[in-house]
Amino acid sequence: KLNIGVDTIQHGVEGLMYLLTESSKLMISEVDFQESIHVLGFSEELNKCLLQLYLDNRKEIRTILGELAPRLPSYHSLEWRLDVQLASRSLRQQIKPTVTMKLHLNQNEDQTAQVLQTDPATLLHLIQQLEQALGEMKTNHCRRIVRNMK
């Protein structure tokens, strides 16, 4: 009926979906939304129509996006044990430490446990990497990103 190619319509619908989902994720204000679509060069009537579409559906879009988000397991508790092998039949003088951890997780009211085993050097490296990641979360750039994700 429109005498327009299928690809053009598909790209238009995908672009509209992207505009609405990203705007809803960031919960941008009416003014910011209008400024975002103003640069697209649409008519004033179409801009008003898009704004009304966004305002009417942003809560529903956020709800759907929240339901689609993966449910990740959460931390419950941790048990750990340090084992040290002092000698074996072939080597009388050896020290081989290992750290065994049992990580208890909650996921959808189900509890699961993961057993992990490593040497202390690898564990120290992992701790340093996690502390570095936590330090980066305190930067202004990361705080801004996290604030916009909520």
Side-chain angles (χ1 to χ4, degrees):
K1 286 184 177 182
L2 298 175
N3 293 328
I4 299 174
V6 175
D7 289 339
T8 306
I9 293 174
Q10 180 179 353
H11 292 303
V13 171
E14 288 172 353
L16 184 60
M17 281 181 3
Y18 182 77
L19 174 70
L20 293 175
T21 55
E22 292 301 314
S23 300
S24 298
K25 275 185 201 176
L26 300 174
M27 284 297 287
I28 62 174
S29 65
E30 291 182 38
V31 175
D32 290 337
F33 186 81
Q34 285 176 329
E35 288 176 3
S36 298
I37 60 174
H38 181 71
V39 298
L40 297 175
F42 295 138
S43 66
E44 238 359 87
E45 182 182 331
L46 185 56
N47 287 347
K48 287 180 185 177
C49 183
L50 286 173
L51 175 64
Q52 193 60 43
L53 181 68
Y54 168 66
L55 293 175
D56 291 343
N57 295 306
R58 69 178 166 189
K59 289 181 182 175
E60 184 178 354
I61 293 170
R62 283 185 65 83
T63 304
I64 292 170
L65 289 174
E67 291 171 0
L68 293 176
R71 303 282 186 247
L72 299 174
S74 61
Y75 171 81
H76 182 269
S77 64
L78 176 74
E79 299 174 41
W80 63 274
R81 181 179 75 219
L82 177 65
D83 295 322
V84 179
Q85 183 178 359
L86 298 174
S88 66
R89 289 182 186 173
S90 61
L91 292 171
R92 299 275 184 219
Q93 298 268 333
Q94 94 177 22
I95 297 176
K96 185 179 174 186
T98 57
V99 179
T100 305
M101 297 170 282
K102 188 173 187 180
L103 182 62
H104 297 275
L105 304 171
N106 291 333
Q107 186 172 17
N108 301 332
E109 281 107 43
D110 295 333
Q111 282 199 353
T112 59
Q114 299 289 326
V115 178
L116 309 166
Q117 190 172 31
T118 186
D119 60 299
T122 305
L123 184 60
L124 285 174
H125 178 70
L126 180 63
I127 290 169
Q128 290 171 351
Q129 292 295 312
L130 290 172
E131 286 176 348
Q132 181 181 356
L134 283 174
E136 287 182 19
M137 284 301 296
K138 294 179 183 177
T139 63
N140 289 335
H141 180 68
C142 285
R143 285 183 185 171
R144 207 170 337 162
I145 291 171
V146 169
R147 186 174 45 241
N148 287 330
M149 286 173 53
K150 293 180 181 178

